[in-house]
Amino acid sequence: MERRIYLDNSATTHTDAEVLQKMLPYFSDVYGNGSSQHFFGREALAAIDEAREKVAKAIGAKPSEIYFTSGGTESDNWAIKGAAHALRAKGNHIITTAIEHPAVIQTCKRLEKEGFEVTYLPVDDEGFVTADQVENAITDKTVLISVMTANNEVGTIEPIREIGAVAKKHKVLFHTDAVQAIGNVPIDVVKDNIDMLSMSAHKFYGPKGVGVLYKRTGVKTERFMDGGEQERNMRASTLNTPGIVGLGAAIEKAVLDMEKNNAHVKELRDFFVAEVLANISDVRYNGTKDTSRRLASNANFSFEYIEGESILMSLDLAGIAVSSGSACSSGSLEPSYVLLSLGVPIELAHGSIRFSFGKDNTREEVEYTLKKLYEVVARLREMSPLFKKFEGEKKYV
Ligand code: PLP
């Protein structure tokens, strides 16, 4: 393979070199268990506490409100199941959206089996839900609202401050999955009225397998795993010191560099989008065109008359890594439920590709990708009888 171009930064990012350097001593020299009372343990605990402070500072929280977890999925599970179970006597209704990550949707599905009722709010054709929709769905049985800060497929940034205000007004807990937002969208848990927030280090140039659940002081949840008394007796298991140190270093850097990184990826993304729309026919740009309400890193297109998987594989052969919205489960290719929720027709949802740009991508990489994409789309359409028949008939932009 001549080239290796990574345009799948929403799936995961590489661990930043400086972050990695800060983690390394905690695999070798400072390997104590953070719960041990001797100096090996105390050294590890000091590093964990420092990381906790960095996370708290990055989101306007207090260190005592930060709980380390194994990643975004665990944080979402804990927030939603933990709060739902703790508040069961008060009510059994949860409000979320139709475009949440499976870590939220599947958690809600599980709770439905236990007798909870879940409202999955629909989104508009750009992927937005409104605070009014949330308010109208609240009943006297509502105990939790969970709305993501930014969507992983189409990059829509939801109005979480307004939704948080509605939750506060009605005294309902508000959780937000901010896994895609940290390092891309400024967050202040106090101003944004957030009671619980999930994040995952590997999405902001930190290591995989470590995340955070922020829980505002006073928010009651059940503990998620039974076992030892780590994390104020709320989350059992030996703390992942190198991972936590990496998460702390990564969030500090991500927040510090947010403006610079956003400006860089936005320039690449905007150039890429404009070129694709100008040079490829029968293509639909999914999500919002309002760049102030979309992750700067995200571009999502549906290419009419061809399968997303075919584009993905052809780009893969050309050394370009992207993602298709389809989930390949048990041999059948399901179109993205997120795109379907935005009203994208099923055949177009099948032809969708997400390009997600990162801080280390270059203009030259984007130009190379465009060149390959034109070739791939033209070649695949050459084989499509439908394209020959209907080319240019539908207008998407
Ligand atoms: N939530 C969102 C919005 C995500 O994009 C992801 C990962 O893709 C997750 C949750 C799950 O995070 P993790 O892979 O750290 O468990």
Side-chain angles (χ1 to χ4, degrees):
M1 201 185 286
E2 321 152 40
R3 305 271 332 235
R4 280 167 68 86
I5 298 177
Y6 188 71
L7 295 181
D8 201 11
N9 288 277
S10 290
T12 195
T13 55
H14 70 272
T15 302
D16 179 275
E18 274 176 37
V19 169
L20 178 63
Q21 282 309 314
K22 290 190 178 147
M23 291 170 66
L24 288 177
Y26 297 91
F27 287 104
S28 48
D29 300 341
V30 194
Y31 56 82
N33 182 326
S35 304
S36 299
Q37 283 162 312
H38 47 65
F39 56 92
F40 279 92
R42 286 199 304 276
E43 279 172 356
L45 187 62
I48 290 164
D49 284 344
E50 194 183 323
R52 203 184 299 282
E53 276 166 31
K54 287 181 177 166
V55 175
K57 187 165 172 229
I59 59 170
K62 298 187 203 92
S64 59
E65 297 173 321
I66 304 301
Y67 297 84
F68 291 111
T69 67
S70 64
T73 301
E74 183 189 330
S75 299
D76 285 342
N77 269 265
W78 183 14
I80 296 169
K81 288 179 190 159
H85 289 152
L87 296 168
R88 186 70 183 85
K90 194 171 165 246
N92 70 339
H93 181 227
I94 296 167
I95 299 170
T96 187
T97 79
I99 61 163
E100 299 296 312
H101 188 271
V104 169
I105 302 256
Q106 295 306 324
T107 298
C108 289
K109 296 267 175 225
R110 160 87 53 186
L111 288 172
E112 281 183 283
K113 290 197 185 115
E114 292 177 20
F116 283 88
E117 279 171 24
V118 182
T119 301
Y120 300 90
L121 292 172
V123 294
D124 69 12
D125 59 1
E126 298 183 336
F128 293 112
V129 67
T130 65
D132 279 350
Q133 273 178 283
V134 173
E135 186 156 31
N136 291 336
I138 294 175
T139 72
D140 56 356
K141 293 270 179 286
T142 309
V143 288
L144 177 68
I145 295 163
S146 180
V147 176
M148 67 200 325
T149 312
N151 180 265
N152 42 303
E153 287 191 38
V154 288
T156 311
I157 301 171
E158 301 296 345
I160 54 157
R161 184 168 293 186
E162 289 74 23
I163 294 171
V166 161
K168 195 174 178 183
K169 181 173 142 198
H170 292 270
K171 297 192 173 55
V172 177
L173 280 185
F174 176 45
H175 165 252
T176 188
D177 174 339
V179 169
Q180 291 288 337
I182 298 289
N184 300 313
V185 180
I187 291 180
D188 181 314
V189 289
V190 177
K191 288 195 188 126
D192 293 338
N193 308 300
I194 298 167
D195 295 309
M196 294 187 284
L197 174 147
S198 306
M199 67 171 85
S200 187
H202 72 102
K203 306 284 185 179
F204 49 88
Y205 306 96
K208 291 168 188 52
V210 59
V212 159
L213 177 63
Y214 151 79
K215 274 198 288 171
R216 187 197 289 280
T217 309
V219 169
K220 299 250 176 309
T221 63
E222 276 190 350
R223 54 180 301 162
F224 189 57
M225 279 195 289
D226 293 317
E229 294 185 0
Q230 290 89 353
E231 295 296 82
R232 281 89 75 212
N233 202 15
M234 287 306 291
R235 198 272 179 182
S237 185
T238 300
L239 287 163
N240 168 7
T241 317
I244 290 169
V245 167
L247 188 151
I251 199 165
E252 187 177 48
K253 194 165 179 183
V255 169
L256 208 64
D257 293 347
M258 185 165 352
E259 249 176 70
K260 185 180 81 182
N261 291 343
N262 265 340
H264 175 68
V265 292
K266 182 175 182 304
E267 195 179 318
L268 296 182
R269 192 272 315 271
D270 289 352
F271 167 65
F272 180 76
V273 170
E275 291 295 305
V276 169
L277 294 177
N279 292 294
I280 302 181
S281 72
D282 304 277
V283 60
R284 175 184 159 124
Y285 185 47
N286 298 314
T288 183
K289 293 191 184 70
D290 178 351
T291 54
S292 69
R293 301 179 75 196
R294 180 174 190 139
L295 292 178
S297 54
N298 175 285
N300 187 309
F301 288 104
S302 290
F303 299 91
E304 175 92 89
Y305 311 115
I306 38 183
E307 291 285 329
E309 299 303 312
S310 314
I311 304 173
L312 186 150
M313 281 184 253
S314 303
L315 289 177
D316 185 43
L317 283 173
I320 301 162
V322 297
S323 158
S324 81
S326 306
C328 185
S329 56
S330 58
S332 73
L333 288 173
E334 292 295 325
S336 148
Y337 64 90
V338 171
L339 293 181
L340 296 181
S341 301
L342 266 68
V344 176
I346 193 158
E347 59 293 358
L348 273 172
H350 269 297
S352 74
I353 293 286
R354 178 187 70 188
F355 302 84
S356 47
F357 302 89
K359 63 177 181 170
D360 293 334
N361 287 128
T362 63
R363 170 89 171 203
E364 191 276 326
E365 286 180 328
V366 176
E367 282 166 358
Y368 182 83
T369 301
L370 283 164
K371 183 171 151 267
K372 289 290 164 190
L373 182 66
Y374 300 153
E375 288 170 18
V376 164
V377 170
R379 184 171 51 74
L380 293 172
R381 283 182 171 170
E382 220 8 66
M383 296 186 266
S384 159
L386 283 176
F387 177 66
K388 284 180 196 144
K389 196 163 168 210
F390 296 115
E391 181 189 3
E393 271 191 13
K394 296 183 198 155
K395 287 277 161 273
Y396 299 106
V397 193

mmCIF file of all heavy atoms in Angstrom, residues 10-12 70-76 99-104 148-153 177-181 198-203 207-211 354, ligand 1:
data_model
loop_
_atom_site.group_PDB
_atom_site.id
_atom_site.type_symbol
_atom_site.label_atom_id
_atom_site.label_comp_id
_atom_site.label_asym_id
_atom_site.label_seq_id
_atom_site.Cartn_x
_atom_site.Cartn_y
_atom_site.Cartn_z
ATOM 1 N N SER A 10 -13.412 9.878 14.272
ATOM 2 C CA SER A 10 -14.536 9.761 15.210
ATOM 3 C C SER A 10 -14.628 8.340 15.763
ATOM 4 O O SER A 10 -15.255 8.125 16.799
ATOM 5 C CB SER A 10 -15.859 10.102 14.519
ATOM 6 O OG SER A 10 -15.891 11.467 14.256
ATOM 7 N N ALA A 11 -14.028 7.387 15.057
ATOM 8 C CA ALA A 11 -14.008 6.012 15.577
ATOM 9 C C ALA A 11 -13.012 5.935 16.720
ATOM 10 O O ALA A 11 -13.295 5.387 17.786
ATOM 11 C CB ALA A 11 -13.629 5.024 14.486
ATOM 12 N N THR A 12 -11.847 6.478 16.476
ATOM 13 C CA THR A 12 -10.843 6.600 17.534
ATOM 14 C C THR A 12 -9.727 7.488 17.018
ATOM 15 O O THR A 12 -9.606 7.710 15.811
ATOM 16 C CB THR A 12 -10.285 5.223 17.972
ATOM 17 O OG1 THR A 12 -9.584 5.378 19.217
ATOM 18 C CG2 THR A 12 -9.334 4.625 16.947
ATOM 19 N N SER A 70 -14.105 2.451 32.461
ATOM 20 C CA SER A 70 -13.359 1.785 31.382
ATOM 21 C C SER A 70 -13.659 2.409 30.018
ATOM 22 O O SER A 70 -13.175 1.919 29.005
ATOM 23 C CB SER A 70 -13.717 0.302 31.345
ATOM 24 O OG SER A 70 -15.090 0.156 31.029
ATOM 25 N N GLY A 71 -14.478 3.452 29.960
ATOM 26 C CA GLY A 71 -14.741 4.085 28.662
ATOM 27 C C GLY A 71 -16.143 4.645 28.576
ATOM 28 O O GLY A 71 -16.915 4.630 29.559
ATOM 29 N N GLY A 72 -16.501 5.111 27.385
ATOM 30 C CA GLY A 72 -17.797 5.743 27.177
ATOM 31 C C GLY A 72 -18.953 4.790 27.425
ATOM 32 O O GLY A 72 -19.977 5.170 28.011
ATOM 33 N N THR A 73 -18.814 3.561 26.984
ATOM 34 C CA THR A 73 -19.910 2.595 27.117
ATOM 35 C C THR A 73 -20.239 2.352 28.587
ATOM 36 O O THR A 73 -21.408 2.370 28.988
ATOM 37 C CB THR A 73 -19.530 1.269 26.418
ATOM 38 O OG1 THR A 73 -19.259 1.558 25.049
ATOM 39 C CG2 THR A 73 -20.643 0.239 26.523
ATOM 40 N N GLU A 74 -19.203 2.145 29.385
ATOM 41 C CA GLU A 74 -19.463 1.911 30.808
ATOM 42 C C GLU A 74 -20.084 3.146 31.455
ATOM 43 O O GLU A 74 -21.029 3.030 32.254
ATOM 44 C CB GLU A 74 -18.170 1.529 31.550
ATOM 45 C CG GLU A 74 -18.474 1.219 33.014
ATOM 46 C CD GLU A 74 -17.235 1.045 33.887
ATOM 47 O OE1 GLU A 74 -16.184 0.600 33.383
ATOM 48 O OE2 GLU A 74 -17.323 1.364 35.081
ATOM 49 N N SER A 75 -19.575 4.318 31.109
ATOM 50 C CA SER A 75 -20.109 5.551 31.712
ATOM 51 C C SER A 75 -21.585 5.717 31.371
ATOM 52 O O SER A 75 -22.403 6.062 32.235
ATOM 53 C CB SER A 75 -19.317 6.765 31.238
ATOM 54 O OG SER A 75 -17.966 6.638 31.621
ATOM 55 N N ASP A 76 -21.946 5.463 30.104
ATOM 56 C CA ASP A 76 -23.357 5.568 29.695
ATOM 57 C C ASP A 76 -24.210 4.545 30.449
ATOM 58 O O ASP A 76 -25.296 4.863 30.950
ATOM 59 C CB ASP A 76 -23.502 5.324 28.182
ATOM 60 C CG ASP A 76 -23.017 6.515 27.355
ATOM 61 O OD1 ASP A 76 -22.895 7.620 27.896
ATOM 62 O OD2 ASP A 76 -22.754 6.330 26.144
ATOM 63 N N ILE A 99 -31.244 9.053 18.004
ATOM 64 C CA ILE A 99 -29.928 8.986 17.338
ATOM 65 C C ILE A 99 -28.769 8.816 18.324
ATOM 66 O O ILE A 99 -27.616 9.076 17.990
ATOM 67 C CB ILE A 99 -29.673 10.220 16.436
ATOM 68 C CG1 ILE A 99 -29.675 11.519 17.252
ATOM 69 C CG2 ILE A 99 -30.710 10.288 15.316
ATOM 70 C CD1 ILE A 99 -29.038 12.696 16.509
ATOM 71 N N GLU A 100 -29.084 8.377 19.529
ATOM 72 C CA GLU A 100 -28.003 8.135 20.497
ATOM 73 C C GLU A 100 -27.123 6.975 20.036
ATOM 74 O O GLU A 100 -27.535 6.134 19.240
ATOM 75 C CB GLU A 100 -28.599 7.796 21.874
ATOM 76 C CG GLU A 100 -29.448 8.873 22.497
ATOM 77 C CD GLU A 100 -28.679 10.144 22.824
ATOM 78 O OE1 GLU A 100 -27.601 10.065 23.429
ATOM 79 O OE2 GLU A 100 -29.185 11.234 22.474
ATOM 80 N N HIS A 101 -25.938 6.914 20.610
ATOM 81 C CA HIS A 101 -25.028 5.782 20.370
ATOM 82 C C HIS A 101 -25.664 4.516 20.963
ATOM 83 O O HIS A 101 -26.417 4.597 21.946
ATOM 84 C CB HIS A 101 -23.696 6.088 21.068
ATOM 85 C CG HIS A 101 -22.614 5.120 20.771
ATOM 86 N ND1 HIS A 101 -22.411 3.974 21.509
ATOM 87 C CD2 HIS A 101 -21.674 5.105 19.796
ATOM 88 C CE1 HIS A 101 -21.378 3.310 21.013
ATOM 89 N NE2 HIS A 101 -20.914 3.978 19.967
ATOM 90 N N PRO A 102 -25.335 3.335 20.410
ATOM 91 C CA PRO A 102 -25.874 2.093 20.989
ATOM 92 C C PRO A 102 -25.612 1.960 22.493
ATOM 93 O O PRO A 102 -26.401 1.313 23.201
ATOM 94 C CB PRO A 102 -25.141 0.993 20.213
ATOM 95 C CG PRO A 102 -24.816 1.624 18.890
ATOM 96 C CD PRO A 102 -24.573 3.083 19.180
ATOM 97 N N ALA A 103 -24.572 2.562 23.000
ATOM 98 C CA ALA A 103 -24.293 2.475 24.448
ATOM 99 C C ALA A 103 -25.448 3.066 25.257
ATOM 100 O O ALA A 103 -25.697 2.642 26.390
ATOM 101 C CB ALA A 103 -22.987 3.196 24.788
ATOM 102 N N VAL A 104 -26.161 4.021 24.669
ATOM 103 C CA VAL A 104 -27.333 4.601 25.333
ATOM 104 C C VAL A 104 -28.600 3.860 24.898
ATOM 105 O O VAL A 104 -29.405 3.441 25.738
ATOM 106 C CB VAL A 104 -27.451 6.116 25.007
ATOM 107 C CG1 VAL A 104 -28.793 6.681 25.455
ATOM 108 C CG2 VAL A 104 -26.307 6.871 25.680
ATOM 109 N N MET A 148 -27.378 13.219 23.775
ATOM 110 C CA MET A 148 -25.944 13.324 23.486
ATOM 111 C C MET A 148 -25.548 14.771 23.168
ATOM 112 O O MET A 148 -26.350 15.539 22.630
ATOM 113 C CB MET A 148 -25.554 12.385 22.334
ATOM 114 C CG MET A 148 -26.130 12.744 21.001
ATOM 115 S SD MET A 148 -26.175 11.365 19.765
ATOM 116 C CE MET A 148 -24.727 10.416 20.071
ATOM 117 N N THR A 149 -24.307 15.114 23.489
ATOM 118 C CA THR A 149 -23.839 16.468 23.173
ATOM 119 C C THR A 149 -23.607 16.585 21.667
ATOM 120 O O THR A 149 -24.007 17.570 21.051
ATOM 121 C CB THR A 149 -22.544 16.792 23.936
ATOM 122 O OG1 THR A 149 -22.699 16.444 25.302
ATOM 123 C CG2 THR A 149 -22.196 18.268 23.828
ATOM 124 N N ALA A 150 -22.979 15.578 21.080
ATOM 125 C CA ALA A 150 -22.743 15.614 19.631
ATOM 126 C C ALA A 150 -22.861 14.201 19.085
ATOM 127 O O ALA A 150 -22.429 13.239 19.726
ATOM 128 C CB ALA A 150 -21.365 16.182 19.324
ATOM 129 N N ASN A 151 -23.441 14.113 17.893
ATOM 130 C CA ASN A 151 -23.678 12.791 17.302
ATOM 131 C C ASN A 151 -22.431 12.252 16.602
ATOM 132 O O ASN A 151 -21.721 12.991 15.925
ATOM 133 C CB ASN A 151 -24.855 12.851 16.328
ATOM 134 C CG ASN A 151 -25.133 11.503 15.700
ATOM 135 O OD1 ASN A 151 -24.646 11.226 14.606
ATOM 136 N ND2 ASN A 151 -25.844 10.649 16.399
ATOM 137 N N ASN A 152 -22.231 10.952 16.734
ATOM 138 C CA ASN A 152 -21.027 10.325 16.188
ATOM 139 C C ASN A 152 -21.069 10.120 14.676
ATOM 140 O O ASN A 152 -20.039 10.056 14.031
ATOM 141 C CB ASN A 152 -20.770 8.979 16.885
ATOM 142 C CG ASN A 152 -22.018 8.177 17.096
ATOM 143 O OD1 ASN A 152 -22.969 8.646 17.725
ATOM 144 N ND2 ASN A 152 -22.052 6.973 16.570
ATOM 145 N N GLU A 153 -22.251 10.050 14.072
ATOM 146 C CA GLU A 153 -22.300 9.789 12.620
ATOM 147 C C GLU A 153 -22.391 11.059 11.784
ATOM 148 O O GLU A 153 -21.740 11.167 10.752
ATOM 149 C CB GLU A 153 -23.485 8.875 12.294
ATOM 150 C CG GLU A 153 -23.233 7.444 12.734
ATOM 151 C CD GLU A 153 -24.268 6.486 12.185
ATOM 152 O OE1 GLU A 153 -24.705 6.645 11.031
ATOM 153 O OE2 GLU A 153 -24.665 5.587 12.935
ATOM 154 N N ASP A 177 -24.179 12.199 26.818
ATOM 155 C CA ASP A 177 -23.060 11.429 26.289
ATOM 156 C C ASP A 177 -22.215 12.427 25.488
ATOM 157 O O ASP A 177 -22.585 12.833 24.388
ATOM 158 C CB ASP A 177 -23.625 10.316 25.396
ATOM 159 C CG ASP A 177 -22.534 9.544 24.675
ATOM 160 O OD1 ASP A 177 -21.419 10.066 24.527
ATOM 161 O OD2 ASP A 177 -22.801 8.407 24.238
ATOM 162 N N ALA A 178 -21.086 12.826 26.099
ATOM 163 C CA ALA A 178 -20.229 13.843 25.467
ATOM 164 C C ALA A 178 -18.989 13.194 24.841
ATOM 165 O O ALA A 178 -17.977 13.855 24.640
ATOM 166 C CB ALA A 178 -19.831 14.891 26.492
ATOM 167 N N VAL A 179 -19.114 11.900 24.538
ATOM 168 C CA VAL A 179 -17.948 11.150 24.040
ATOM 169 C C VAL A 179 -17.365 11.786 22.775
ATOM 170 O O VAL A 179 -16.159 11.888 22.629
ATOM 171 C CB VAL A 179 -18.332 9.666 23.811
ATOM 172 C CG1 VAL A 179 -17.243 8.921 23.054
ATOM 173 C CG2 VAL A 179 -18.611 8.986 25.143
ATOM 174 N N GLN A 180 -18.238 12.256 21.869
ATOM 175 C CA GLN A 180 -17.739 12.860 20.624
ATOM 176 C C GLN A 180 -17.436 14.347 20.785
ATOM 177 O O GLN A 180 -16.880 14.960 19.883
ATOM 178 C CB GLN A 180 -18.765 12.680 19.496
ATOM 179 C CG GLN A 180 -18.933 11.252 19.033
ATOM 180 C CD GLN A 180 -17.724 10.750 18.227
ATOM 181 O OE1 GLN A 180 -16.957 11.515 17.661
ATOM 182 N NE2 GLN A 180 -17.559 9.439 18.179
ATOM 183 N N ALA A 181 -17.835 14.906 21.906
ATOM 184 C CA ALA A 181 -17.764 16.369 22.033
ATOM 185 C C ALA A 181 -16.510 16.873 22.736
ATOM 186 O O ALA A 181 -16.021 17.955 22.427
ATOM 187 C CB ALA A 181 -18.999 16.864 22.790
ATOM 188 N N SER A 198 -20.747 11.602 30.196
ATOM 189 C CA SER A 198 -19.839 10.500 29.852
ATOM 190 C C SER A 198 -18.771 10.985 28.885
ATOM 191 O O SER A 198 -19.065 11.754 27.964
ATOM 192 C CB SER A 198 -20.595 9.376 29.132
ATOM 193 O OG SER A 198 -21.705 8.958 29.876
ATOM 194 N N MET A 199 -17.542 10.489 29.081
ATOM 195 C CA MET A 199 -16.478 10.772 28.105
ATOM 196 C C MET A 199 -15.563 9.558 27.979
ATOM 197 O O MET A 199 -15.601 8.646 28.804
ATOM 198 C CB MET A 199 -15.677 12.012 28.505
ATOM 199 C CG MET A 199 -14.871 11.869 29.757
ATOM 200 S SD MET A 199 -13.742 13.264 30.027
ATOM 201 C CE MET A 199 -14.791 14.434 30.850
ATOM 202 N N SER A 200 -14.756 9.554 26.938
ATOM 203 C CA SER A 200 -13.881 8.423 26.646
ATOM 204 C C SER A 200 -12.563 8.943 26.074
ATOM 205 O O SER A 200 -12.571 9.676 25.077
ATOM 206 C CB SER A 200 -14.580 7.517 25.627
ATOM 207 O OG SER A 200 -13.854 6.346 25.450
ATOM 208 N N ALA A 201 -11.445 8.581 26.707
ATOM 209 C CA ALA A 201 -10.150 9.196 26.379
ATOM 210 C C ALA A 201 -9.716 8.997 24.926
ATOM 211 O O ALA A 201 -9.088 9.867 24.331
ATOM 212 C CB ALA A 201 -9.076 8.657 27.315
ATOM 213 N N HIS A 202 -10.069 7.838 24.343
ATOM 214 C CA HIS A 202 -9.523 7.550 23.012
ATOM 215 C C HIS A 202 -10.121 8.401 21.896
ATOM 216 O O HIS A 202 -9.658 8.349 20.757
ATOM 217 C CB HIS A 202 -9.642 6.050 22.676
ATOM 218 C CG HIS A 202 -11.020 5.562 22.381
ATOM 219 N ND1 HIS A 202 -11.462 5.340 21.098
ATOM 220 C CD2 HIS A 202 -12.046 5.229 23.182
ATOM 221 C CE1 HIS A 202 -12.702 4.882 21.143
ATOM 222 N NE2 HIS A 202 -13.087 4.807 22.395
ATOM 223 N N LYS A 203 -11.132 9.197 22.235
ATOM 224 C CA LYS A 203 -11.698 10.086 21.214
ATOM 225 C C LYS A 203 -10.994 11.441 21.199
ATOM 226 O O LYS A 203 -11.239 12.253 20.329
ATOM 227 C CB LYS A 203 -13.195 10.310 21.461
ATOM 228 C CG LYS A 203 -14.011 9.050 21.579
ATOM 229 C CD LYS A 203 -14.274 8.374 20.257
ATOM 230 C CE LYS A 203 -15.205 7.188 20.468
ATOM 231 N NZ LYS A 203 -15.546 6.483 19.253
ATOM 232 N N PRO A 207 -5.566 7.325 25.571
ATOM 233 C CA PRO A 207 -5.562 5.872 25.363
ATOM 234 C C PRO A 207 -6.967 5.256 25.329
ATOM 235 O O PRO A 207 -7.923 5.876 25.796
ATOM 236 C CB PRO A 207 -4.796 5.368 26.582
ATOM 237 C CG PRO A 207 -5.054 6.402 27.632
ATOM 238 C CD PRO A 207 -5.177 7.715 26.931
ATOM 239 N N LYS A 208 -7.055 4.057 24.815
ATOM 240 C CA LYS A 208 -8.336 3.328 24.795
ATOM 241 C C LYS A 208 -8.579 2.653 26.138
ATOM 242 O O LYS A 208 -7.646 2.393 26.881
ATOM 243 C CB LYS A 208 -8.317 2.291 23.669
ATOM 244 C CG LYS A 208 -8.328 2.950 22.298
ATOM 245 C CD LYS A 208 -8.030 1.964 21.205
ATOM 246 C CE LYS A 208 -7.858 2.668 19.873
ATOM 247 N NZ LYS A 208 -6.891 3.794 19.870
ATOM 248 N N GLY A 209 -9.857 2.363 26.408
ATOM 249 C CA GLY A 209 -10.186 1.582 27.609
ATOM 250 C C GLY A 209 -10.222 2.395 28.893
ATOM 251 O O GLY A 209 -10.119 1.832 29.979
ATOM 252 N N VAL A 210 -10.352 3.717 28.783
ATOM 253 C CA VAL A 210 -10.478 4.531 29.996
ATOM 254 C C VAL A 210 -11.407 5.703 29.706
ATOM 255 O O VAL A 210 -11.355 6.306 28.639
ATOM 256 C CB VAL A 210 -9.088 4.984 30.535
ATOM 257 C CG1 VAL A 210 -8.314 5.799 29.516
ATOM 258 C CG2 VAL A 210 -9.219 5.741 31.850
ATOM 259 N N GLY A 211 -12.296 5.952 30.649
ATOM 260 C CA GLY A 211 -13.261 7.037 30.479
ATOM 261 C C GLY A 211 -13.604 7.649 31.814
ATOM 262 O O GLY A 211 -12.967 7.362 32.837
ATOM 263 N N ARG A 354 -18.840 8.153 6.282
ATOM 264 C CA ARG A 354 -18.417 9.225 7.192
ATOM 265 C C ARG A 354 -16.915 9.440 7.037
ATOM 266 O O ARG A 354 -16.143 8.485 7.124
ATOM 267 C CB ARG A 354 -18.723 8.842 8.642
ATOM 268 C CG ARG A 354 -18.248 9.898 9.637
ATOM 269 C CD ARG A 354 -18.413 9.437 11.074
ATOM 270 N NE ARG A 354 -17.491 8.377 11.420
ATOM 271 C CZ ARG A 354 -17.517 7.692 12.564
ATOM 272 N NH1 ARG A 354 -18.439 7.943 13.454
ATOM 273 N NH2 ARG A 354 -16.637 6.752 12.809
HETATM 274 N N1 PLP B 1 -20.916 7.295 22.798
HETATM 275 C C1 PLP B 1 -20.565 7.820 21.616
HETATM 276 C C2 PLP B 1 -21.293 9.016 21.075
HETATM 277 C C3 PLP B 1 -19.526 7.237 20.877
HETATM 278 O O1 PLP B 1 -19.180 7.752 19.705
HETATM 279 C C4 PLP B 1 -18.860 6.098 21.423
HETATM 280 C C5 PLP B 1 -17.796 5.428 20.659
HETATM 281 O O2 PLP B 1 -17.819 5.365 19.445
HETATM 282 C C6 PLP B 1 -19.265 5.609 22.670
HETATM 283 C C7 PLP B 1 -20.300 6.232 23.331
HETATM 284 C C8 PLP B 1 -18.610 4.418 23.292
HETATM 285 O O3 PLP B 1 -17.347 4.762 23.818
HETATM 286 P P1 PLP B 1 -16.274 3.627 24.149
HETATM 287 O O4 PLP B 1 -15.841 3.052 22.861
HETATM 288 O O5 PLP B 1 -15.182 4.342 24.873
HETATM 289 O O6 PLP B 1 -16.935 2.617 25.025
#
